[in-house]
Amino acid sequence: MDDRMEEPKSIQIDQFLSYPLRNFENAASFAIDIGGSLTKLAYYSTVKFRINKVKKDEKELYDVSETDKILPRLHFIVLENQYLMEALDFIRDRVKARTQDAGPVEFFATGGGSIKYAQLLKEKIGVEPIKLDEIGCVVRDDWERVGGTSMGGGTFWGLGRLLTGKESFDDILELAEKGSRSGVDTLVRDIYGLGTPIGGGDYGNMGLSGDITASSFCKAATQKSSKIEEFKPEDRAKSLLHMISNDIGQLAYLYAKLNNCKKVIFGGFFIRGHMETMRTVSFGINYWSKGTIQPLFLRHEGFLGAIGAFMQSSRVDKTKLWGENFASSTGYRERSTSNSKDDDSISTLELDQMDIACEPFPYLIDSYKADQWDLTDDNESREYWLATLKSSTGKTASIAKQSQVSSSDVDNRISEFKEKYLKRLDNLRRKPGSYGRLSVRKLLNMREDLLNELLFPDPYIHIKKKENEFFLPLLAKRIQEIDSFTDHKKQWEECFRGILGGNMFDWGAKAVTDIFDGAANGLLQFSSALEKIQPRPWLVDHFDAIYEKLGRYKSVCIFCDNSGADVILGVLPFVRQLLRDNLQVVLVANSKPALNDVTYSELVALMPKVYHLCPEFESFVNNESLIVTDIESSSPCLNLKTVPTRLVEILSAKKCDLLIFEGMGRAIHTNYHSQFKIDSMKLAVLKNEWIAKKLNGKLFDVVCRLDKKVEN
């Protein structure tokens, strides 16, 4: 047996393993991939969530109740082999204690170690493992025009040991982070001069900046009477890292070009979330391909073998998509911590099954990127958002507590939420690339996932109901105000002013919640919101062109934002005006709660009350001119990479030719610069001063932007 697995460590192993290796009470399917130094484990279980049910009610606006929902979850864990024996003992004890209805255990194994330790696995778990081919588990799908390369660390490790004297792969990488190539390599500026009148060492004709390597280790090889030992070890490590990464980038580009691949996916031990490696490989791909080939890096590439083995299980519904649960998944597994059992010793990924069938949004173009701002490399912007979310965590926790004030354990769960979210923010300050490219959307999604995991399914549920009850009776008056204008164009001006004024009612924006705190009953009057945006010159600058184009459309899809005044006094009158102009409308809300965003179930429950105040809406719904539906999302932002199949079918049947994104999360944080195969409109109020400055505006300026479709 491997000497790394002989002696159990003298620590409280159950406590150490209990969080990553959890939900075993009904786990039934397991897959394990044992490599030379790491073990990857996957298993299937079901998880109980608490959800709020909203349904129509004759006496109240709508009825709200809590219930439990069971959903499938896939767990993936990677741990160092020194913990394998303890982990198998832990699993054995939990499997024996499973509930009776969990079903028979099935166990799949892959990787060289799974063959070596097949008998051990059988003895520990009590089940004969089904052995699977390692390569077949990593590559199971037919990826069309997508290249893939697995980057092992053997060459780097071997040469790194010789050049630096370090024995550990991670120590060599850490050393490289401290080094500078300029000490060992000859750079372009060394050849063309530094700070000269012709360009500061750049070779402009070839598109080469001065800090690009012209020759690796050239200074060490050409300087007289110099030995490699005379150069700093960290500089040697940095030069070696760049030399190998550049070679990999160029080779990958050549293979991709030969096989007409537009994307190259990189994985393997050499990457492991190391930002400098990914930057160097990306530069090589982008430079040689002139941006025509896209490099992609797998954040959880270590799980590929275990995932491939696990997909053999009959319990996995291969027709459903799975989404990452950011509450429990760790980031990139970076440095080895073989001498201590801390948070980096075990890496986890958890995926929750989506409720409904989903597929790609049909109007996306190949270059679609949801997020407006990439915070990974932008230190100033990242620090702003980490500090902003940190400072707002107390208020979020207070609102969540009020939603379950009678619960006996609410204080403990609130404390756990604050502790875990603040720790996550601190980790992202040190390692911003831990969860892939960092964005505001991802930071908000982490918060929502963590609240949901700690059984706060909808912290704003009572706030939303209070606002809906307050603003719904004002709908008829608002419609009368719009109809009082006899000029059709003036009616549309008022509808645009209304939908933008309604977007002021956003509990996710501190500039607005500060106003709420000073308002009677914590509710801002709709007229006050209109006054906030009224002086802005957007109507003069943009409205004439937008009004002219509105008449050309036949079918519109609107992704709506907040509850209360936003949806009732802003979106619904806007929708009514579209319908009265004979446009078909598909109104889309989130399927799950996020901040004070209106959910599909809340919108459905509101509609009968809306019919009473404005009977036209009932006619529009009955003749299917208006369809209310949902998008599988619990995020205040909007990533359209996958959407419900039902929505795709509706939009196809309606021949949708305009998308409207309403609110900061859907139209600013995401999709602001995005173009689609059909025209798109972005409507929002800039309720954050940082965002306003980024867009060359002022706080409470409005965005009313119409983007033309991208021709096929």
Side-chain angles (χ1 to χ4, degrees):
M1 182 180 294
D2 193 319
D3 58 6
R4 288 171 294 189
M5 294 186 246
E6 287 181 356
E7 296 295 332
K9 311 299 178 193
S10 56
I11 65 165
Q12 296 294 323
I13 191 64
D14 278 13
Q15 182 178 358
F16 175 59
L17 293 172
S18 60
Y19 186 77
L21 295 174
R22 60 195 188 123
N23 297 326
F24 266 94
E25 61 272 12
N26 51 18
S29 300
F30 297 84
I32 195 166
D33 175 8
I34 305 176
S37 59
L38 299 173
T39 292
K40 284 75 70 175
L41 173 70
Y43 62 95
Y44 170 98
S45 72
T46 55
V47 182
K48 183 185 293 186
F49 287 98
R50 184 177 296 170
I51 62 171
N52 282 323
K53 292 188 69 175
V54 177
K55 59 183 181 180
K56 302 172 186 176
D57 189 275
E58 293 296 327
K59 297 179 181 178
E60 296 186 73
L61 182 64
Y62 49 73
D63 178 64
V64 178
S65 61
E66 281 194 354
T67 187
D68 291 332
K69 185 172 184 176
I70 306 297
L71 285 176
R73 174 172 288 177
L74 301 182
H75 302 256
F76 301 95
I77 296 98
V78 59
L79 63 154
E80 295 172 6
N81 281 355
Q82 62 172 322
Y83 306 132
L84 177 59
M85 293 288 287
E86 297 151 300
L88 290 176
D89 288 339
F90 184 92
I91 294 169
R92 176 198 60 206
D93 295 342
R94 268 58 183 181
V95 167
K96 287 181 178 179
R98 291 181 315 135
T99 57
Q100 292 183 350
D101 58 352
V105 172
E106 54 181 5
F107 206 107
F108 303 94
T110 189
S114 65
I115 308 300
K116 182 178 180 180
Y117 301 116
Q119 186 59 34
L120 174 66
L121 292 174
K122 181 179 179 180
E123 291 172 0
K124 289 288 186 181
I125 306 299
V127 177
E128 182 78 44
I130 301 170
K131 302 180 201 60
L132 300 171
D133 175 70
E134 183 174 7
I135 299 300
C137 288
V138 172
V139 185
R140 299 200 61 86
D141 294 323
D142 178 19
W143 289 355
E144 183 179 359
R145 295 191 177 179
V146 176
T149 181
S150 181
M151 299 164 62
T155 302
F156 176 76
W157 176 62
L159 291 174
R161 291 175 65 194
L162 293 173
L163 289 170
T164 67
K166 298 289 185 178
E167 291 295 323
S168 163
F169 185 95
D170 291 304
D171 287 340
I172 300 169
L173 273 180
E174 185 179 30
L175 194 64
E177 291 178 358
K178 302 174 183 176
S180 169
R181 293 176 292 116
S182 63
V184 180
D185 296 349
T186 294
L187 307 182
V188 169
R189 66 169 176 251
D190 294 324
I191 300 172
Y192 291 94
L194 177 63
T196 65
I198 60 171
D202 294 350
Y203 188 6
N205 291 339
M206 291 295 292
L208 299 174
S209 65
D211 61 352
I212 289 177
T213 300
S215 178
S216 297
F217 291 98
C218 185
K219 290 177 182 176
T222 59
Q223 292 183 12
K224 292 182 179 180
S225 68
S226 291
K227 297 180 180 180
I228 190 67
E229 292 81 5
E230 296 176 9
F231 294 88
K232 294 179 181 179
E234 55 265 37
D235 292 349
R236 296 178 234 155
K238 174 76 85 172
S239 177
L240 177 64
L241 174 66
H242 272 251
M243 181 180 73
I244 293 177
S245 298
N246 275 320
D247 286 349
I248 290 169
Q250 187 172 16
L251 287 170
Y253 154 70
L254 291 171
Y255 278 113
K257 185 177 180 181
L258 283 172
N259 293 280
N260 196 28
C261 295
K262 298 301 181 186
K263 297 179 181 178
V264 180
I265 298 174
F266 293 91
F269 194 72
F270 185 56
I271 297 289
R272 297 173 69 215
H274 192 260
M275 296 303 295
E276 190 68 21
T277 307
M278 292 189 286
R279 287 193 190 99
T280 309
V281 171
S282 295
F283 174 83
I285 291 281
N286 291 328
Y287 176 78
W288 293 109
S289 73
K290 294 181 172 57
T292 61
I293 296 174
Q294 182 182 9
L296 301 171
F297 299 91
L298 298 172
R299 183 156 63 83
H300 289 291
E301 48 83 21
F303 296 121
L304 281 180
I307 291 173
F310 190 70
M311 294 306 290
Q312 297 296 304
S313 171
S314 59
R315 294 185 173 93
V316 177
D317 185 348
K318 300 176 183 62
T319 66
K320 293 286 183 69
L321 294 179
W322 300 76
E324 182 169 4
N325 175 13
F326 284 110
S328 307
S329 298
T330 57
Y332 282 124
R333 187 181 183 278
E334 295 182 349
R335 275 205 94 227
S336 170
T337 52
S338 57
N339 295 323
S340 64
K341 288 184 168 64
D342 61 16
D343 289 347
D344 289 335
S345 298
I346 294 182
S347 179
T348 63
L349 166 66
E350 293 188 354
L351 303 177
D352 292 331
Q353 183 177 287
M354 294 186 178
D355 289 346
I356 53 181
C358 293
E359 61 185 77
F361 195 54
Y363 307 113
L364 296 187
I365 60 175
D366 290 342
S367 61
Y368 174 77
K369 290 182 180 179
D371 298 307
Q372 171 64 17
W373 292 286
D374 187 335
L375 307 181
T376 315
D377 301 314
D378 186 342
N379 294 337
E380 183 180 349
S381 297
R382 182 175 67 253
E383 283 300 314
Y384 170 81
W385 282 106
L386 291 174
T388 297
L389 289 167
K390 182 176 181 178
S391 66
S392 67
T393 299
K395 189 174 188 69
T396 301
S398 175
I399 291 171
K401 180 177 179 179
Q402 289 301 313
S403 71
Q404 297 182 15
V405 68
S406 60
S407 176
S408 60
D409 65 343
V410 67
D411 288 330
N412 291 336
R413 288 185 286 122
I414 285 295
S415 295
E416 187 174 354
F417 160 70
K418 290 193 291 186
E419 178 185 351
K420 287 186 173 180
Y421 190 57
L422 292 175
K423 182 178 180 181
R424 178 70 57 84
L425 296 178
D426 286 340
N427 287 341
L428 288 168
R429 179 170 281 109
R430 292 183 290 108
K431 303 175 184 178
S434 295
Y435 290 84
R437 307 307 296 181
L438 187 63
S439 63
V440 177
R441 172 177 62 90
K442 196 164 288 186
L443 291 171
L444 294 174
N445 288 356
M446 289 176 183
R447 185 176 67 184
E448 296 301 318
D449 283 357
L450 190 53
L451 285 166
N452 196 45
E453 191 77 8
L454 292 170
L455 305 182
F456 294 102
D458 192 354
Y460 291 82
I461 184 69
H462 300 307
I463 291 174
K464 289 187 291 181
K465 186 177 181 182
K466 176 183 176 182
E467 290 190 341
N468 288 335
E469 289 173 337
F470 180 82
F471 288 109
L472 184 63
L474 305 179
L475 175 61
K477 180 183 178 183
R478 178 61 189 155
I479 288 175
Q480 288 174 2
E481 290 172 352
I482 294 169
D483 290 349
S484 67
F485 294 96
T486 56
D487 181 73
H488 184 258
K489 184 177 178 181
K490 288 291 186 182
Q491 290 177 347
W492 265 116
E493 282 186 19
E494 191 64 16
C495 286
F496 272 93
R497 197 166 73 96
I499 196 171
L500 290 163
N503 195 239
M504 281 287 296
F505 293 80
D506 185 349
W507 281 83
K510 185 178 185 301
V512 175
T513 58
D514 287 347
I515 298 173
F516 289 167
D517 291 341
N521 273 344
L523 292 170
L524 179 66
Q525 296 295 321
F526 189 67
S527 57
S528 300
L530 293 178
E531 289 172 4
K532 282 285 183 185
I533 67 167
Q534 192 166 3
R536 311 304 182 190
W538 66 274
L539 285 178
V540 177
D541 294 342
H542 301 292
F543 182 71
D544 286 346
I546 290 174
Y547 175 74
E548 182 199 351
K549 292 176 182 176
L550 272 176
R552 303 176 186 175
Y553 299 111
K554 302 298 182 185
S555 178
V556 181
C557 175
I558 302 177
F559 296 94
C560 61
D561 193 2
N562 305 301
S563 285
D566 193 351
V567 69
I568 293 171
L569 302 184
V571 173
L572 288 179
F574 189 92
V575 167
R576 173 179 174 268
Q577 194 71 15
L578 290 168
L579 292 164
R580 296 185 91 187
D581 282 0
N582 296 317
L583 278 77
Q584 302 282 302
V585 178
V586 180
L587 185 58
V588 184
N590 273 9
S591 59
K592 300 169 187 174
L595 293 172
N596 67 313
D597 292 2
V598 66
T599 64
Y600 170 69
S601 59
E602 289 165 345
L603 199 50
V604 169
L606 279 171
M607 289 310 290
K609 313 293 184 182
V610 171
Y611 299 160
H612 178 72
L613 296 167
C614 182
E616 279 181 289
F617 275 102
E618 185 169 16
S619 300
F620 291 136
V621 169
N622 288 339
N623 66 25
E624 297 188 346
S625 297
L626 170 62
I627 294 179
V628 178
T629 188
D630 63 340
I631 188 165
E632 178 74 359
S633 176
S634 59
S635 172
C637 299
L638 183 61
N639 182 0
L640 288 168
K641 286 292 182 69
T642 56
V643 301
T645 298
R646 178 176 63 247
L647 175 60
V648 173
E649 292 171 347
I650 292 171
L651 296 180
S652 175
K654 292 291 184 181
K655 295 181 171 57
C656 180
D657 55 1
L658 176 64
L659 303 172
I660 296 180
F661 302 92
E662 188 245 346
M664 279 212 313
R666 292 156 183 80
I668 305 296
H669 286 306
T670 52
N671 301 300
Y672 180 67
H673 275 135
S674 298
Q675 289 181 278
F676 302 87
K677 294 178 182 178
I678 59 177
D679 288 0
S680 58
M681 184 183 295
K682 288 77 183 233
L683 299 171
V685 178
L686 302 181
K687 302 177 287 284
N688 175 282
E689 197 159 355
W690 179 90
I691 291 175
K693 288 179 180 178
K694 282 285 186 179
L695 299 180
N696 298 316
K698 302 183 295 294
L699 189 65
F700 301 133
D701 271 356
V702 300
V703 171
C704 185
R705 170 186 175 131
L706 183 61
D707 290 321
K708 294 181 179 180
K709 66 181 180 180
V710 174
E711 299 292 342
N712 295 329

